[in-house]
Amino acid sequence: MIQVDPSIKANYPVIIMGMHRSGTSILTTMLRECGLFVGWELDETQEALFFRRRNEKLIGICGGRWDNPLPVGLLLYNSELSGEVTSSLKRDVSSFRVLSFLGLRLYWRFRTLCAMDSPWGWKDPRNAFLLPLWLDVFPSARVVHIVRNGVDVARSLAVREKRRIGNPARKDHSLQGRFKRRASQMGKRPWLLYFLETSQRFLEHMSPLHRYNRMRVYGCDTLEGAFQLWNTYVAREMEVLAQLKDRAISVRYEDFLEAPEKILARLVDFCGLDAGLGRISGLCNRLNKQRKYAFLEDQGLREFYQEVRGCPLMERLGYSDL
């Protein structure tokens, strides 16, 4: 187990990554409650909007999206452009823009992320593809990774996508419908930042072409498409972990459910947090252990598993003989 020197805590963030629907949200929530600061302005999946927006923008300018992240390689392999991006990110993390991540109190105290003197980090599945850029900004960053078997991830993604497409609110183009969608997106976000963001995007939303954005199709509305996306993400994650070695720690979602206290204690130590066993035990009592290999309860998913169990990544991660 890696022992953390308290004197160097401010030198690195903890970057949390893992494929969508793999347990990153619950893991981030538990680390947050153990003392890891993961941002002031968060969405419902515990992603700091300061980092998520930048990751989305960087993938988007390459012609990609979260469900098609590979085009970001065009940027990473262009040394001149990637250098410009890194310079911009360095300016951002030391500018007033970090207010949305730090909040008023911490911003007044630090003004820049590089001055943080307590454990902090952020979670975003896209980190796997943009990590080279963030490591240029934070050279001593550490990575926490979680992986889940591809069948459960594929099922969860496909169900979420079908629910999105079938949601009646998505098809409501009235002013009231737009207001309801925007209100639901606010969640627990700071009202002032939400107001400013809404005002900034007002003109864009007035465009008659904006309604087509709600008709976008992702490549994960089928089990096959979602499983292929799992392959894309996990393959990249494995490359990242191999390069970082001792600066990264990886856990399987199923192992976490089986022995949560032991694994959470390892993660707490790795992140340099100060959480006692009582705190860790209380958090672990919230976990639903029935989510371990949930696909085994469904005949159709068991048949799909037989089709994909021979996938190299399923074999490599120990999911090929369940």
Side-chain angles (χ1 to χ4, degrees):
M1 183 179 297
I2 295 176
Q3 298 297 321
V4 177
D5 182 351
S7 66
I8 61 171
K9 283 183 179 179
N11 291 346
Y12 64 87
V14 175
I15 301 176
I16 302 171
M17 70 179 190
M19 172 61 183
H20 305 264
R21 320 304 291 179
S22 294
T24 52
S25 296
I26 184 62
L27 182 63
T28 302
T29 298
M30 297 175 80
L31 290 175
R32 180 186 181 189
E33 296 194 30
C34 285
L36 183 69
F37 180 75
V38 296
W40 182 56
E41 188 184 15
L42 303 172
D43 67 9
E44 65 278 3
T45 65
Q46 301 297 303
E47 293 178 12
L49 298 187
F50 174 84
F51 287 99
R52 194 193 76 183
R53 288 168 180 155
R54 281 156 180 78
N55 283 348
E56 288 177 338
K57 175 61 70 173
L58 292 175
I59 291 178
I61 61 176
C62 300
R65 297 186 310 196
W66 71 268
D67 62 321
N68 179 31
L70 292 179
V72 78
L74 297 173
L75 173 61
L76 297 179
Y77 297 135
N78 187 310
S79 59
E80 182 177 357
L81 290 179
S82 62
E84 291 182 22
V85 168
T86 299
S87 297
S88 294
L89 293 176
K90 288 180 178 179
R91 288 196 298 271
D92 280 351
V93 302
S94 297
S95 73
F96 71 92
R97 297 179 181 88
V98 297
L99 172 64
S100 70
F101 182 80
L102 292 175
L104 291 172
R105 182 177 63 85
L106 292 181
Y107 177 74
W108 180 259
R109 178 180 176 185
F110 298 115
R111 305 299 175 91
T112 170
L113 294 180
C114 299
M116 289 285 285
D117 62 0
S118 58
W120 69 279
W122 77 92
K123 167 246 176 180
D124 189 345
R126 304 167 190 82
N127 285 329
F129 295 91
L130 293 160
L131 198 61
L133 298 175
W134 289 117
L135 289 179
D136 283 341
V137 179
F138 303 110
S140 300
R142 292 183 175 181
V143 170
V144 169
H145 171 250
I146 187 168
V147 64
R148 188 182 187 186
N149 77 85
V151 178
D152 277 332
V153 170
R155 175 187 178 277
S156 184
L157 278 174
V159 169
R160 185 182 71 176
E161 177 62 2
K162 290 177 181 178
R163 187 183 298 122
R164 182 189 69 85
I165 293 175
N167 186 358
R170 183 183 63 83
K171 304 175 184 179
D172 187 353
H173 306 313
S174 67
L175 182 61
Q176 183 180 12
R178 294 182 182 184
F179 177 79
K180 288 181 178 179
R181 280 193 296 273
R182 296 297 294 171
S184 66
Q185 293 170 8
M186 179 176 179
K188 297 181 180 179
R189 291 164 58 192
W191 68 269
L192 178 58
L193 290 175
Y194 173 79
F195 174 77
L196 293 174
E197 177 188 277
T198 301
S199 300
Q200 181 182 3
R201 297 185 179 182
F202 177 76
L203 292 178
E204 176 188 348
H205 283 253
M206 290 296 293
S207 169
L209 296 179
H210 181 75
R211 66 179 182 273
Y212 290 103
N213 289 344
R214 296 193 297 276
M215 303 173 194
R216 63 170 59 95
V217 178
Y218 299 117
C220 53
D221 56 337
T222 65
L223 284 175
E224 293 77 11
F227 185 82
Q228 183 56 48
L229 186 60
W230 176 85
N231 263 284
T232 299
Y233 268 83
V234 175
R236 175 57 182 164
E237 292 162 7
M238 293 297 101
E239 293 178 12
V240 168
L241 295 175
Q243 295 169 5
L244 291 175
K245 299 181 180 180
D246 290 344
R247 289 170 54 199
I249 187 170
S250 180
V251 300
R252 295 198 321 169
Y253 176 79
E254 295 79 12
D255 295 339
F256 186 49
L257 293 183
E258 185 67 26
E261 294 184 17
K262 177 181 178 181
I263 291 178
L264 184 57
R266 287 177 56 209
L267 294 174
V268 163
D269 181 77
F270 180 81
C271 296
L273 306 177
D274 184 17
L277 294 179
R279 180 64 170 169
I280 291 173
S281 178
L283 291 172
C284 292
N285 288 335
R286 306 178 188 176
L287 293 174
N288 180 7
K289 295 187 177 182
Q290 295 181 349
R291 300 310 301 162
K292 178 182 178 181
Y293 301 125
F295 74 88
L296 294 175
E297 300 178 1
D298 184 284
Q299 177 62 32
L301 292 176
R302 290 199 301 270
E303 293 175 358
F304 180 71
Y305 169 73
Q306 294 302 323
E307 298 176 11
V308 301
R309 62 184 298 182
C311 165
L313 282 175
M314 290 285 280
E315 293 182 349
R316 179 179 176 181
L317 294 168
Y319 292 132
S320 61
D321 190 20
L322 303 178

